[in-house]
Amino acid sequence: MKIVDGDKAECARCESVLPLEAVSLLEKETNRDYERVLCAECLDAVGVPRGYSLRRDITHLGG
């Protein structure tokens, strides 16, 4: 996951930089080391595959 300027994140798919409030975090349930930030548009395209969980609020990661 790439946090930019403390309160923004880069989408792992389209590489857009958005506020933390506008992105979600896709995690592999069996391996918390696999985390990908996705914007709403990319999340709609990818969905949440089986075996993954979605965190919509990641604002606590900002600094």
Side-chain angles (χ1 to χ4, degrees), residues 26-35 49-53:
L26 190 61
E27 300 175 306
K28 185 145 183 139
E29 291 178 2
T30 58
N31 183 357
R32 294 289 180 198
D33 292 334
Y34 183 86
E35 299 177 331
R50 174 179 263 172
Y52 289 78
S53 61

Side-chain angles (χ1 to χ4, degrees), residues 2-38:
K2 187 172 182 181
I3 302 288
V4 181
D5 295 331
D7 64 347
K8 296 178 184 147
E10 183 178 314
C11 177
R13 188 167 186 255
C14 71
E15 299 180 352
S16 297
V17 176
L18 302 158
L20 289 177
E21 299 85 28
V23 296
S24 299
L25 185 66
L26 190 61
E27 300 175 306
K28 185 145 183 139
E29 291 178 2
T30 58
N31 183 357
R32 294 289 180 198
D33 292 334
Y34 183 86
E35 299 177 331
R36 296 292 179 258
V37 172
L38 294 174

